[in-house]
């Protein structure tokens, strides 16, 4: 698998959104890029994405979690997984298998090295 070379601090440079969030880690931006791709390709609706992300953010607030870059990323990831887990895009078992493969690859990767998904395959 290929690795990603998104700059460490990734965020829009749009004058219309000067306060838009910056992301400290590439995968934080990637989860939103994946969601955007799914919305623009018609795989999920913008309304479903907004409602699901909003519900996850509300759950964080109700649980007393601070509003940080990490909690926003975690909420976005949970929202994306919920939308994918419906089976219309990715079957639940496939999503879990990919998540497990990623975890094995991550744990098998030396600190500082790029994670290669193949390292997690059985």
């Amino acid at each position: 698998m290929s690795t990603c070379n998104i700059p460490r601090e990734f965020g829009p440079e749009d004058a219309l959104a000067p306060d838009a969030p910056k992301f400290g880690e590439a995968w934080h931006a990637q989860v939103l890029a994946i969601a955007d791709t799914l919305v623009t390709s018609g795989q999920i609706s913008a309304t479903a994405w907004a409602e699901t992300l909003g519900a996850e953010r509300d759950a964080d607030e109700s649980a007393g979690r601070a509003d940080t870059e990490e909690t926003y990323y975690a909420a976005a990831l949970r929202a994306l997984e919920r939308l994918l887990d419906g089976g219309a895009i990715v079957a639940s078992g496939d999503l879990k298998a990919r998540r497990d493969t990623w975890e094995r690859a991550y744990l098998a990767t030396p600190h500082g090295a790029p994670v290669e998904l193949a390292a997690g395959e059985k």
Side-chain angles (χ1 to χ4, degrees):
M1 284 284 184
S2 64
T3 59
C4 179
N5 293 317
I6 293 176
R8 193 145 162 73
E9 182 171 292
F10 178 84
E13 299 297 329
D14 187 341
L16 297 175
D19 296 326
K22 301 272 190 273
F23 302 99
E25 301 294 341
W27 57 86
H28 292 187
Q30 288 174 338
V31 78
L32 294 178
I34 291 168
D36 181 64
T37 298
L38 292 169
V39 169
T40 56
S41 69
Q43 297 293 311
I44 60 174
S45 73
T47 301
W49 169 248
E51 289 174 353
T52 307
L53 179 57
E56 292 297 337
R57 300 283 289 142
D58 288 346
D60 283 343
E61 186 177 330
S62 294
R65 294 183 193 100
D67 185 15
T68 67
E69 177 184 296
E70 289 295 322
T71 57
Y72 186 87
Y73 163 73
L77 181 60
R78 288 190 314 268
L80 184 59
E81 288 179 340
R82 278 181 51 196
L83 289 167
L84 291 175
D85 202 23
I89 299 171
V90 179
S92 298
D94 291 343
L95 186 60
K96 181 180 178 341
R98 181 54 64 111
R99 189 181 304 125
D100 292 348
T101 300
W102 171 256
E103 183 176 5
R104 286 190 303 274
Y106 170 77
L107 293 173
T109 302
H111 180 72
V115 176
E116 296 287 340
L117 194 56
E121 294 173 354
K122 290 182 181 182

